[in-house]
Amino acid sequence: MFPSPPVACNLGSVGTNNVIRVLAVDHNPLMREGLALLVRLQPDMQLVGAVATAEEAVHMYIEQRPDVTLMDLDLPAESAFGAIRKIRAQDAGARIIGLTTYEPDALWARALAAGACQCVAKDGLSDSLPRLIRNGQPPVLDNSVPPENGG
C-alpha cells in the first residue's frame, strides 16, 4: 500500500462564477495537445498556455498567473519538482496538479513535498481531470500499486 503523503496545499474549489484559467505542462507533444483539447472542451475553462519544459512553465506561470497548473512529473532531468518549488516561491497559493504515468508512486510523494496540491495518473485524465480542476476532488485511487513504479 502506498502511504498518503501530507498534502502541500489545499486544492479546494475554484470559484464557479469565473472562467478557470489553466496552464498545461508536458514534455510529450501529443499529451500536451490532449491536455489543451480537454481544457478547451470545458465551457468554464480557458487554456492560458501549453508548454514543454520546466523553464517555460515557470515563465508562463509568472506571466499568466493561471488558476490551476497541470505539471507533468516526468519532465526530463526531474525538473518538474524544481518548477513546482519555483512557482510556489512566486505564489504560495499556486494550485498545481502533478500528472504522472502511474498511480501513487514515489513521484507523487516528491511532487507533494515540492508543493503540488494533488496528483493524478494520466490514464484517467479524461474522466477525472475536469472535476479535479473545478473542485479539487481527486479520483478514487487503487492503492495496491507498488510505490516505485516509474520512480
Side-chain angles (χ1 to χ4, degrees):
M1 297 268 294
F2 180 74
S4 297
V7 176
C9 62
N10 181 7
L11 191 54
S13 296
V14 174
T16 57
N17 295 333
N18 300 324
V19 172
I20 303 167
R21 302 174 72 249
V22 180
L23 170 61
V25 183
D26 201 292
H27 73 282
N28 181 314
L30 185 58
M31 187 68 193
R32 195 169 52 248
E33 286 301 314
L35 289 170
L37 178 60
L38 183 61
V39 170
R40 286 182 184 128
L41 288 173
Q42 308 306 311
D44 59 342
M45 295 182 196
Q46 174 190 9
L47 184 73
V48 297
V51 298
T53 69
E55 295 79 21
E56 291 172 320
V58 173
H59 174 77
M60 186 67 69
Y61 184 88
I62 292 168
E63 183 179 297
Q64 294 293 324
R65 295 290 180 172
D67 298 310
V68 176
T69 299
L70 308 175
M71 180 73 68
D72 176 13
L73 299 182
D74 297 322
L75 290 176
E78 300 185 26
S79 58
F81 309 108
I84 292 169
R85 283 189 289 274
K86 287 177 183 176
I87 289 170
R88 291 298 303 268
Q90 288 288 320
D91 179 0
R95 297 163 43 101
I96 303 168
I97 299 172
L99 307 176
T100 187
T101 306
Y102 302 101
E103 292 296 335
D105 64 5
L107 292 179
W108 286 47
R110 290 182 64 198
L112 293 172
C117 295
Q118 186 59 260
C119 294
V120 64
K122 291 178 180 179
D123 65 352
L125 290 181
S126 62
D127 296 329
S128 62
L129 191 61
R131 182 186 58 195
L132 184 58
I133 290 171
R134 282 185 192 102
N135 62 24
Q137 293 181 1
V140 176
L141 301 177
D142 174 6
N143 288 334
S144 65
V145 178
E148 292 302 318
N149 286 349

